[in-house]
Amino acid sequence: MGKSLVIVESPAKARTINRYLGSDYTVKASMGHVMDLPKRDLGVDLKKDFKPTYLVIPGRRRVIQELKAAAEKADAVYLAADPDREGEAICAHLRELLDGKRRRFHRVLFNEITRDAVREAFAHPVEIDEHLVDAQQARRILDRLVGYQVSPLLWDKVKRGLSAGRVQTVALRLIVEREREILAFQKREYWTIEAHLEGKHPPAFDARLLKLQGKDLEIPDQASAEQHVAAAKAAAFVVQSVTTKEKRKYPVPPFITSKLQQEAVRKLHFTAKKTMMLAQRLYEGVEVDQEGSVGLITYMRTDSTRVAEGALAAARDFIQRNFGAAYLPPASIHYRNKKGAQDAHEAIRPTAVERTPESVRAFLSPDEFRLYKLIWQRFVASQMNPAVFDQTTIDITAGDYLFRATGSVEKFNGFRAVYEEGKDEKAEMEEEEELKRPLPAVEQGETLQLRKLHPEQHFTEPPPRYNEATLVKVLEEKGIGRPSTYAAILSVIQNRAYVHKQQARFYPTDLGMLVSDLLVKNFSDIFDVAYTARMEEELDEVEEGKLSWIDALDEFYKKFKKDLRLAEREMEDIKGEGIPTDEKCEKCGKPMVVRLGRNGAFLACTGYPECDGTRDLTPELAAQYGTAGPPAPDVAEENCQKCGKPMAVKRGRFGYFLACTGYPECRNTKKIVMKEGAATAVADVPLEEKCPKCGNNLALKHGRYGQFTACSNYPNCRYVKRQTLGIACPEKGCTGELVVRRTKRGKTFYGCSCYPQCKFTAWDKPVAEPCPQCGSPLLLEKHKKDSTAVRYCRNEACKYEHAVT
């Protein structure tokens, strides 16, 4: 009997599975998808029921040749791609390329890469699910129709290199609409009053003013607050009622993909993309001591909270042994899936609960360990008893006023002994912290001592900008995209410069707002949030065999084709004519239009090239003409230290900065630094050291990549002092020393101060430590992915290397 061929997507997965199957199987990797629509053409025949043209991906041709050769020698071929739409499509394409009509193909499905799961899957192979293949094909064609027919419109009307996507544009729309809410928000003043009180027993505590004569009290300004403080001070503070209720806080379900991405953002500060990359490694297999390569978690693309009964039993046994009977519910906890969830896969959980995070820590990178620990803790906690609190509410009267204090005491920590879910926003965190305040034992009718009445001014706040966690959350809630697409959506809108991150929040760029406005205006159906969600439901119906993929595409394309024809005629031409405005050119009096430049939108004279008049686009005009980007930071007013003229906020290639209004005669600028939400203009710091070129003092300046030392007489003198390492250049005959340099993209490297005469460069940091093997005057130090450091000889012929302790 010959060998059987097993095909998976990745080498890591191949290594793990190969251990479980033995010598009768040859396991090879397809390296992901092997076929796709052509890059240069639409690849979809619109006249023949959307028939796609698939080609072998250029980078996969050698892989396919190897797989074909292996298939010729095999008795059977097992297709073991991931258990989802993409995996099913990979299997269908492999069957086609490896001549599925001539030989028998088996589809094997497993939710975790463990010995038992893999052997069970091979004992019960199935057929390729054509409905899943159709659903993947429908999504791919939908995305191709939008991308390849709308993107050229943007190239023609705005600028080349832009892209539109069926789902990415809706995600961008959400960010833009949130930004507009923030820009339109009018803050409102309000005041709160807290009484600091003391009873017979410690501790002293705070109670907030809530009502006046039984009605909710709003305090709009300082005068009203002072009036209420004066009235309350004159009254006696008496306990009206004390209510204590037992409150239970229940555990949350084990992770689904979206929740894992959200929690990894909150607790680990990982991006969605990084989270999925790490989860993929944990799923495909990690070398663990005597076990060899083993999958540590179940499949990481899922929206089901279902857990196998065997895993639930193992978790209950672990909880009983390690935490005790008090933490164990009477029966396993089964969580209800959200509406529309696909139940093909389990929730994300450890493949073996006995494999605790600490037991595998030595075999994981720090980031892999942190993610595995998060997954393990959430799964174990999901099968534990609720936490129990005594929540106490004290109502206190002071004349006609009612004050209230609320606090809670934890009686039993329950699942919180292992895990507690993170919070998205500051208000949620503050509310939870407020409940944790300790309260003293007081009695009804007890008179309390007033120590202080504290009025405090507040202002209402606009809705917060999205971060990765909250954006994934809203995409999930609105039914936009699927678990496997969230990370890609967030990456694309950033890579296209439609949004940028500042303090982990998404801000739309001028370009992003402009593109979103044009697409939403001209394709009101296709980029509608509800319509996009409905398309996701239809793809699910295709997967379930309830709807033909051709019918789903036909319904979409009828609407899309009408919008496309209309947009070709009516979409504003930003590249050519610009957006008309009522503004007049200060130089020649002709009308001005909004154009898009390297640094964002600006006003330009229609008389160009005869008149080159331009103006900054004020926030008011930007909002009026639909091109408002992130608001300029609010920086305290100041005058230029060099010429005395006012400084103004300007925007350049790398963001906002403070510049002298006396430009071009005075070129003084200051970098604007954001810290804890506040913008500060950072001034140069004069140094005692003299410039070797012009004799003026040097100054510590702030640039795009941090602090640097340069001549204070800039731009007349452009001397920049390089950060030196104190190491002589190792090249023979060179008298220079090694300095820190940066590429145009900001990546650090090391070179000689005598450049360009001396060409010495190194990506890794030079260290003044001679090589003990070949005598080279220095070593290079590099840091690996697991945060360990090694020093090695720069001489390629010498293989010396040692770890840095």
Side-chain angles (χ1 to χ4, degrees):
M1 181 179 175
K3 287 190 174 185
S4 295
L5 173 64
V6 181
I7 305 177
V8 298
E9 295 108 306
S10 72
K13 192 173 176 181
R15 284 193 298 272
T16 307
I17 290 174
N18 198 39
R19 290 185 54 252
Y20 301 145
L21 295 178
S23 59
D24 292 336
Y25 295 85
T26 300
V27 186
K28 291 189 173 292
S30 71
M31 309 304 291
H33 278 280
V34 291
M35 298 181 80
D36 197 5
L37 299 172
K39 274 197 170 183
R40 296 186 178 275
D41 305 311
L42 182 64
V44 179
D45 193 331
L46 301 174
K47 296 179 180 178
K48 293 184 179 179
D49 291 336
F50 306 99
K51 183 181 178 181
T53 299
Y54 288 109
L55 302 176
V56 174
I57 297 170
R60 301 289 185 270
R61 286 172 185 159
R62 183 181 292 180
V63 172
I64 292 301
Q65 288 174 357
E66 293 175 0
L67 293 177
K68 281 182 176 179
E72 288 294 332
K73 302 173 187 176
D75 290 343
V77 179
Y78 290 86
L79 304 172
D82 286 345
D84 57 12
R85 291 176 187 170
E86 299 298 321
E88 214 70 19
I90 291 171
C91 292
H93 291 155
L94 285 169
R95 179 181 61 185
E96 179 184 339
L97 290 171
L98 303 181
D99 197 359
K101 294 179 180 177
R102 193 161 63 85
R103 60 173 56 86
R104 178 73 171 165
F105 283 77
H106 305 283
R107 174 72 164 119
V108 287
L109 295 160
F110 36 82
N111 190 54
E112 58 186 71
I113 305 178
T114 58
R115 187 181 302 276
D116 291 344
V118 170
R119 289 184 174 178
E120 176 68 17
F122 276 81
H124 301 94
V126 296
E127 297 295 323
I128 291 174
D129 188 330
E130 300 299 339
H131 294 316
L132 273 176
V133 176
D134 287 346
Q136 189 277 341
Q137 181 167 266
R139 176 186 287 281
R140 187 73 188 93
I141 294 173
L142 275 172
D143 293 342
R144 174 57 64 99
L145 291 175
V146 174
Y148 270 52
Q149 293 187 284
V150 178
S151 297
L153 260 180
L154 293 176
W155 303 346
D156 184 47
K157 305 286 188 178
V158 185
K159 71 173 186 177
R160 289 197 65 81
L162 302 181
S163 75
R166 186 179 60 86
V167 180
Q168 80 179 49
T169 301
V170 178
L172 173 62
R173 178 181 184 172
L174 292 172
I175 294 171
V176 169
E177 288 177 348
R178 174 59 59 88
E179 191 68 29
R180 291 249 160 81
E181 283 183 67
I182 294 168
L183 291 171
F185 182 81
Q186 299 291 322
K187 66 181 180 181
R188 181 176 56 84
E189 181 184 6
Y190 71 98
W191 287 68
T192 58
I193 299 174
E194 285 200 343
H196 188 59
L197 302 166
E198 192 173 310
K200 296 176 186 175
H201 306 286
F205 64 100
D206 293 324
R208 178 165 291 187
L209 176 58
L210 288 185
K211 297 177 183 288
L212 173 61
Q213 295 179 342
K215 295 180 180 178
D216 290 341
L217 178 62
E218 288 190 8
I219 309 173
D221 49 43
Q222 184 175 359
S224 300
E226 290 173 352
Q227 180 183 341
H228 293 305
V229 166
K233 270 184 179 176
F237 284 74
V238 179
V239 177
Q240 183 187 68
S241 63
V242 182
T243 308
T244 299
K245 293 180 181 177
E246 187 176 87
K247 184 181 177 182
R248 292 173 178 262
K249 186 173 183 181
Y250 290 87
V252 286
F255 282 125
I256 59 176
T257 305
S258 59
K259 293 293 188 284
L260 175 63
Q261 292 173 354
Q262 292 169 46
E263 195 72 338
V265 171
R266 295 180 195 122
K267 289 195 166 185
L268 308 180
H269 306 294
F270 291 169
T271 62
K273 182 178 179 180
K274 180 176 181 177
T275 300
M276 296 308 290
M277 179 189 70
L278 294 169
Q280 184 91 31
R281 287 188 212 157
L282 296 174
Y283 165 70
E284 290 185 341
V286 174
E287 293 291 332
V288 177
D289 202 18
Q290 303 301 319
E291 293 184 80
S293 185
V294 60
L296 295 184
I297 65 170
T298 53
Y299 190 53
M300 63 285 160
R301 294 185 182 93
T302 178
D303 56 3
S304 170
T305 56
R306 178 177 60 83
V307 175
E309 290 299 325
L312 292 176
R316 287 177 60 77
D317 182 59
F318 182 89
I319 294 165
Q320 173 79 48
R321 286 185 287 106
N322 290 276
F323 293 92
Y327 289 84
L328 191 67
S332 300
I333 302 174
H334 295 83
Y335 294 92
R336 184 181 300 174
N337 283 329
K338 65 176 184 178
K339 183 182 178 183
Q342 305 295 297
D343 200 36
H345 315 306
E346 288 186 59
I348 304 168
R349 61 167 176 83
T351 54
V353 72
E354 296 290 345
R355 207 176 279 120
T356 64
E358 287 301 327
S359 71
V360 295
R361 184 171 196 161
F363 313 106
L364 303 177
S365 71
D367 287 343
E368 288 170 343
F369 167 74
R370 294 169 70 201
L371 189 65
Y372 179 70
K373 183 178 180 182
L374 195 68
I375 293 167
W376 186 91
Q377 287 176 327
R378 175 120 168 184
F379 172 63
V380 172
S382 73
Q383 292 302 312
M384 296 176 76
N385 271 326
V388 182
F389 299 84
D390 272 343
Q391 185 168 308
T392 301
T393 302
I394 304 174
D395 282 352
I396 303 149
T397 59
D400 291 334
Y401 295 100
L402 176 72
F403 289 76
R404 179 170 292 166
T406 307
S408 61
V409 176
E410 187 178 73
K411 293 165 60 178
F412 175 64
N413 60 358
F415 76 93
R416 295 177 74 247
V418 178
Y419 172 83
E420 187 162 12
E421 191 174 31
K423 302 295 180 186
D424 280 321
E425 303 299 348
K426 185 174 72 172
E428 293 176 344
M429 299 176 198
E430 288 175 351
E431 185 178 341
E432 186 145 312
E433 284 302 314
E434 192 173 313
L435 285 174
K436 292 179 181 177
R437 293 185 304 187
L439 294 178
V442 296
E443 299 173 354
Q444 185 175 352
E446 181 180 342
T447 300
L448 306 172
Q449 295 295 317
L450 174 65
R451 296 301 180 197
K452 186 180 181 183
L453 270 176
H454 177 61
E456 186 174 0
Q457 183 187 41
H458 307 272
F459 292 93
T460 53
E461 295 184 354
R465 291 178 178 86
Y466 294 114
N467 60 19
E468 289 211 4
T470 53
L471 185 57
V472 167
K473 184 177 181 180
V474 76
L475 290 173
E476 179 190 22
E477 288 172 350
K478 292 182 181 294
I480 299 166
R482 279 295 177 260
S484 59
T485 65
Y486 296 140
I489 291 168
L490 301 189
S491 294
V492 167
I493 58 176
Q494 292 177 81
N495 293 341
R496 295 295 180 190
Y498 292 157
V499 303
H500 73 273
K501 273 188 190 175
Q502 187 171 305
Q503 294 183 305
R505 299 281 174 175
F506 286 121
Y507 288 75
T509 61
D510 279 355
L511 178 63
M513 298 192 89
L514 190 62
V515 167
S516 176
D517 290 345
L518 289 173
L519 294 179
V520 170
K521 179 180 178 181
N522 291 278
F523 296 90
S524 55
D525 286 336
I526 307 308
F527 299 125
D528 176 70
V529 173
Y531 183 79
T532 304
R534 173 59 193 148
M535 281 307 304
E536 295 293 350
E537 291 174 3
E538 290 194 2
L539 290 173
D540 291 342
E541 290 171 12
V542 172
E543 180 176 323
E544 295 161 9
K546 297 176 181 177
L547 179 66
S548 158
W549 70 274
I550 295 173
D551 290 343
L553 286 174
D554 188 56
E555 179 189 344
F556 170 85
Y557 198 67
K558 283 176 183 175
K559 290 183 178 181
F560 178 59
K561 187 164 58 174
K562 290 179 184 177
D563 285 348
L564 191 63
R565 287 173 181 165
L566 196 64
E568 286 170 348
R569 295 195 307 268
E570 298 186 1
M571 184 183 283
E572 292 92 335
D573 187 355
I574 309 301
K575 183 192 286 185
E577 299 172 0
I579 300 175
T581 73
D582 296 329
E583 299 299 304
K584 301 296 181 184
C585 177
E586 294 172 351
K587 286 188 175 182
C588 70
K590 287 185 178 180
M592 304 194 83
V593 293
V594 177
R595 292 193 182 280
L596 193 68
R598 185 175 65 176
N599 300 329
F602 65 99
L603 287 172
C605 181
T606 53
Y608 182 85
E610 289 77 17
C611 177
D612 61 357
T614 62
R615 281 190 0 229
D616 284 345
L617 194 64
T618 64
E620 294 76 21
L621 289 173
Q624 182 179 346
Y625 296 109
T627 60
D634 185 13
V635 184
E637 293 182 3
E638 61 177 278
N639 293 329
C640 176
Q641 304 96 318
K642 291 187 177 180
C643 70
K645 290 183 178 178
M647 302 282 279
V649 176
K650 299 285 184 181
R651 185 170 56 183
R653 287 180 63 195
F654 309 122
Y656 288 103
F657 63 97
L658 209 58
C660 180
T661 54
Y663 179 89
E665 289 77 17
C666 179
R667 295 172 178 264
N668 187 28
T669 63
K670 285 186 177 182
K671 182 179 174 63
I672 294 177
V673 176
M674 298 295 296
K675 188 174 182 181
E676 297 180 358
T680 306
V682 183
D684 294 348
V685 180
L687 301 175
E688 295 294 328
E689 190 177 350
K690 299 294 182 181
C691 173
K693 284 191 175 182
C694 70
N696 281 286
N697 283 56
L698 296 181
L700 186 65
K701 294 177 176 286
H702 299 78
R704 184 186 179 193
Y705 302 114
Q707 294 182 337
F708 66 98
T709 302
C711 184
S712 59
N713 195 28
Y714 177 87
N716 299 321
C717 177
R718 294 178 178 268
Y719 171 78
V720 175
K721 183 181 179 182
R722 298 290 182 185
Q723 180 186 343
T724 67
L725 299 181
I727 301 173
C729 178
E731 298 294 341
K732 288 183 179 179
C734 181
T735 58
E737 60 178 335
L738 300 187
V739 297
V740 180
R741 294 185 179 273
R742 284 192 175 88
T743 66
K744 288 182 179 179
R745 296 196 172 194
K747 186 174 180 182
T748 299
F749 71 102
Y750 304 89
C752 180
S753 59
C754 291
Y755 177 86
Q757 288 77 23
C758 178
K759 304 289 187 183
F760 172 88
T761 58
W763 287 112
D764 295 322
K765 185 177 181 179
V767 180
E769 182 180 322
C771 175
Q773 286 187 193
C774 72
S776 175
L778 57 82
L779 299 178
L780 301 179
E781 182 174 299
K782 67 179 178 181
H783 291 265
K784 295 184 176 180
K785 289 182 178 178
D786 61 0
S787 298
T788 60
V790 296
R791 289 179 182 172
Y792 65 96
C793 184
R794 63 180 289 265
N795 180 1
E796 293 183 3
C798 178
K799 302 298 182 184
Y800 176 75
E801 182 178 301
H802 77 269
V804 179
T805 55

